[in-house]
Amino acid sequence: QQASSSVTDNDLVGRTAQVTVAIKPGELGQISAKIGDERVEKLARTNGDSEIKPGTIVKVVTIAGDSVLVETE
């Protein structure tokens, strides 16, 4: 059962988030975003060819199934 949340995946698109688990090319990492009073954690991947380290601020480009696609600003 899904946790009740007023935040949808689409709310994340175009937002900035902080990387909490390194995102390596071709591998999943994790981001944390704050939307209103809610903190949202999502699996994330990148199309880039370099690792995005924890603490980096990224932008959510699109939703890709169960994860989000991010890029560095």
Side-chain angles (χ1 to χ4, degrees), residues 20-37:
T20 54
V21 176
I23 306 169
K24 296 179 180 165
E27 295 182 29
L28 283 173
Q30 187 169 313
I31 59 156
S32 177
K34 193 163 166 64
I35 298 180
D37 292 335

Side-chain angles (χ1 to χ4, degrees), residues 13-47:
V13 175
R15 298 257 187 177
T16 55
Q18 185 170 26
V19 176
T20 54
V21 176
I23 306 169
K24 296 179 180 165
E27 295 182 29
L28 283 173
Q30 187 169 313
I31 59 156
S32 177
K34 193 163 166 64
I35 298 180
D37 292 335
E38 268 188 85
R39 182 154 297 286
V40 181
E41 306 263 325
K42 291 296 276 183
L43 292 173
R45 60 180 76 236
T46 180
N47 277 340

